[in-house]
Amino acid sequence: MLVIGGGTRGGGTDAIYEAPDLDVIAFDIYASRWCQFIADAHSIPLESRTIDAVWVQAVLEHVLDPWQVVAEIERVLRPNGLVYAETPFLQQVHEGAYDFTRFTESGQRWLFRRFERLDSGLIAGPGIQFAWSIEHLVRALTRSRMVGRLARLGLFWVQWLDGVTGRSQSLDGASCTYFFGRLSERSISPRDMVRHYANVRANSPNHPDETGPRR
């Protein structure tokens, strides 16, 4: 498994790094104890079709050209290789000058259009998104990062509201979503991409892209 942006271990990755039968290779644009090499994800220095799976968590918003990075993911993956991605939708700027892009759930699906969708959904919903917004509103009003963080800390409980909101409403107001897919020889069509919106929100087991739509 190739971990893109593996300079730090992301949330939920302990099982990956500790799995005895999984060979994890991580890289980032800086050195760390977790990285095997330093590289730019726009041009991954690995041979084509040499990787079984790719993990790219909270990275694609920080690259200048996420479509090029996904093209590189497609290149290094073996046939039927897997990808797991987490990418923010409604989040304020973080990492300053190195923050460029956001994706809706459908937008992330189109980004990985050459992958068969195995699963996708919510990582953080509108409750967490609201807490982010309060922090940045207070920060802007007070000109203080610390006061903004304290305001968000005081509203820690709003994230629990994500557990009671509806799936459709949560995805449309999500702070972050995920995509899990398998590399395919065919791409989801624009028509089926539009249908994807209603299908994924209805949690239908029969997505139009599950059967490998025509180009």
Side-chain angles (χ1 to χ4, degrees):
M1 173 177 284
L2 179 67
V3 178
I4 299 177
T8 59
R9 285 171 59 158
T13 60
D14 287 349
I16 291 173
Y17 285 94
E18 296 169 6
D21 57 346
L22 188 62
D23 184 11
V24 177
I25 303 170
F27 77 94
D28 213 314
I29 57 173
Y30 61 90
S32 84
R33 60 179 293 197
W34 308 112
C35 291
Q36 279 67 55
F37 59 93
I38 300 172
D40 183 346
H42 294 87
S43 182
I44 301 173
L46 295 175
E47 294 183 6
S48 300
R49 299 192 172 193
T50 55
I51 299 296
D52 294 306
V54 169
W55 184 281
V56 53
Q57 181 180 28
V59 170
L60 294 173
E61 71 271 30
H62 299 303
V63 300
L64 280 172
D65 190 344
W67 295 271
Q68 174 59 30
V69 173
V70 172
E72 280 291 278
I73 290 173
E74 294 171 3
R75 181 185 65 79
V76 300
L77 278 175
R78 293 189 174 104
N80 298 314
L82 301 174
V83 68
Y84 176 81
E86 290 181 11
T87 312
F89 169 35
L90 295 175
Q91 286 183 11
Q92 281 71 19
V93 169
H94 49 281
E95 293 198 23
Y98 302 98
D99 193 339
F100 306 106
T101 311
R102 298 291 185 270
F103 289 96
T104 62
E105 191 278 337
S106 292
Q108 186 167 222
R109 176 67 189 98
W110 184 247
L111 181 64
F112 290 98
R113 56 188 173 273
R114 289 199 63 239
F115 287 79
E116 174 192 359
R117 176 191 173 277
L118 300 178
D119 196 11
S120 65
L122 195 71
I123 291 294
I128 292 178
Q129 185 273 326
F130 178 73
W132 274 69
S133 296
I134 289 296
E135 175 185 346
H136 282 263
L137 175 60
V138 173
R139 182 192 298 185
L141 289 171
T142 63
R143 279 70 168 175
S144 170
R145 288 176 177 264
M146 180 59 67
V147 175
R149 289 172 182 169
L150 289 174
R152 180 177 177 178
L153 182 63
L155 289 170
F156 71 92
W157 54 270
V158 299
Q159 64 185 334
W160 297 339
L161 297 177
D162 287 341
V164 298
T165 55
R167 176 180 173 84
S168 175
Q169 291 80 359
S170 293
L171 280 171
D172 285 349
S175 175
C176 182
T177 64
Y178 71 91
F179 175 82
F180 176 47
R182 178 185 291 115
L183 186 61
S184 175
E185 294 182 356
R186 295 182 288 184
S187 173
I188 183 172
S189 71
R191 177 175 294 179
D192 284 337
M193 184 62 248
V194 174
R195 293 172 180 166
H196 167 85
Y197 176 86
N199 287 338
V200 75
R201 279 151 185 78
N203 201 23
S204 169
N206 297 315
H207 292 269
D209 51 320
E210 299 278 340
T211 57
R214 296 182 298 273
R215 289 184 183 275

